[in-house]
Amino acid sequence: ECCNTCDDVKRVYRRKQWHIPDISKIQQCSHLVRAAQEDGEGCNVHGMVALSTGGGNLHFAPDRQWEKEGDKTSGGLQMFGGFMDLSSVIEMFNEAFEQFNVSHTVNQLSFGQAMRPQVRESLNLTSQLDGAIRSVSDGYGMFQYYLQVVPTVFRFLNGTTIETFQYSVTEHTRHVDPGSNRGLPGVFFFYEVSALHVEFEEYRRGWTHFFTGVCAAVGGAFTVMGMLDRRLFEWKAGSGGGLLT
């Protein structure tokens, strides 16, 4: 059977229950990066995800794919519908207790349709997590973000309406013991959509408000002038020794 990719080769070997001793010796898999070569490296994740309006979570958990498999003739153990040799079993247990560095940087996180930076600046929209850098020294650490998402609507005089979302966030770091079934090391974003909506509406003030402001300013000026006149009169009366009749 012809196999054009490394996944095709693995699929055929699994279907025939054959042993893959070393995938680096297979031509279609020779370009793949081995797990040992990825030590100390990170990854850059970007994209758009469709989320439920009822709340939920988005998480990034590190993992490693097993690179060794077994068959019936290599002394393998039958597990999960397939065969693994003893080295694979050892690798499975080592992976369960492997430590991961989940330090991360959030370059940008927003909800709703993407907007140009100029529009966001004009609306004074900011994202609390944009550019946030978090260092996690715990190899079994779970970094959790709890986000409260608030739907926001902007209405302008020209009839334009912009619907977007704002959010507030709290952070928490938790230690996860290996084999405790209480979670995995990683970065988790738990979000909840608020039942309250915020609306900003642009409008012009009428002439009534203008005249009211003018009257208030004139009245305040007359009041201040009256107070100054009274103080000046009292000062002159006190310095002259009395009033002339």
Coordinates of all heavy atoms in Angstrom, one line a residue, residues 232-245:
L232 N -16.9 93.5 51.0 CA -16.2 94.8 50.8 C -16.9 95.9 51.6 O -16.2 96.7 52.2 CB -16.2 95.1 49.3 CG -15.5 96.4 48.9 CD1 -14.0 96.3 49.3 CD2 -15.6 96.7 47.4
F233 N -18.2 95.9 51.6 CA -18.9 96.9 52.4 C -18.7 96.7 53.9 O -18.4 97.7 54.6 CB -20.4 96.7 52.1 CG -21.3 97.6 52.9 CD1 -21.4 99.0 52.5 CD2 -22.0 97.2 54.0 CE1 -22.2 99.9 53.3 CE2 -22.7 98.1 54.8 CZ -22.9 99.4 54.4
E234 N -18.6 95.5 54.4 CA -18.3 95.3 55.8 C -16.9 95.7 56.2 O -16.7 96.2 57.2 CB -18.6 93.8 56.2 CG -20.0 93.4 56.1 CD -20.2 91.9 56.4 OE1 -19.2 91.2 56.5 OE2 -21.4 91.5 56.5
W235 N -16.0 95.4 55.2 CA -14.6 95.8 55.5 C -14.4 97.3 55.6 O -13.8 97.9 56.5 CB -13.7 95.2 54.4 CG -12.3 95.7 54.6 CD1 -11.4 95.2 55.5 CD2 -11.6 96.7 53.8 NE1 -10.1 95.8 55.3 CE2 -10.3 96.7 54.3 CE3 -12.0 97.5 52.7 CZ2 -9.3 97.6 53.7 CZ3 -11.1 98.3 52.2 CH2 -9.8 98.4 52.7
K236 N -15.1 98.0 54.6 CA -15.0 99.5 54.7 C -15.7 100.1 55.9 O -15.2 101.1 56.5 CB -15.7 100.1 53.4 CG -14.8 99.9 52.1 CD -15.5 100.6 51.0 CE -14.6 100.5 49.7 NZ -15.2 101.2 48.6
A237 N -16.8 99.5 56.3 CA -17.5 100.0 57.5 C -16.7 99.8 58.7 O -16.6 100.6 59.6 CB -18.9 99.3 57.6
G238 N -16.0 98.7 58.8 CA -15.2 98.4 60.0 C -13.9 99.3 60.0 O -13.5 99.7 61.1
S239 N -13.3 99.6 58.9 CA -12.1 100.4 58.9 C -12.4 101.9 59.1 O -11.6 102.6 59.6 CB -11.4 100.2 57.6 OG -12.2 100.6 56.5
G240 N -13.6 102.4 58.8 CA -14.0 103.8 59.0 C -14.5 104.1 60.4 O -14.8 105.3 60.7
G241 N -14.7 103.2 61.2 CA -15.1 103.4 62.6 C -16.7 103.6 62.7 O -17.2 103.9 63.8
G242 N -17.4 103.4 61.7 CA -18.8 103.4 61.7 C -19.4 103.9 60.4 O -18.7 104.3 59.5
L243 N -20.7 104.0 60.4 CA -21.4 104.5 59.2 C -21.7 105.9 59.3 O -22.0 106.5 60.4 CB -22.7 103.7 59.0 CG -22.5 102.2 58.8 CD1 -23.9 101.5 58.7 CD2 -21.7 101.9 57.5
L244 N -21.6 106.7 58.2 CA -21.9 108.1 58.2 C -23.4 108.2 58.0 O -24.0 107.5 57.2 CB -21.2 108.8 57.0 CG -19.7 108.8 57.1 CD1 -19.1 109.5 55.9 CD2 -19.2 109.5 58.4
T245 N -24.0 109.2 58.7 CA -25.4 109.5 58.6 C -25.6 110.9 58.1 O -24.8 111.8 58.2 CB -26.1 109.4 59.9 OG1 -25.5 110.2 60.9 CG2 -26.0 107.9 60.4

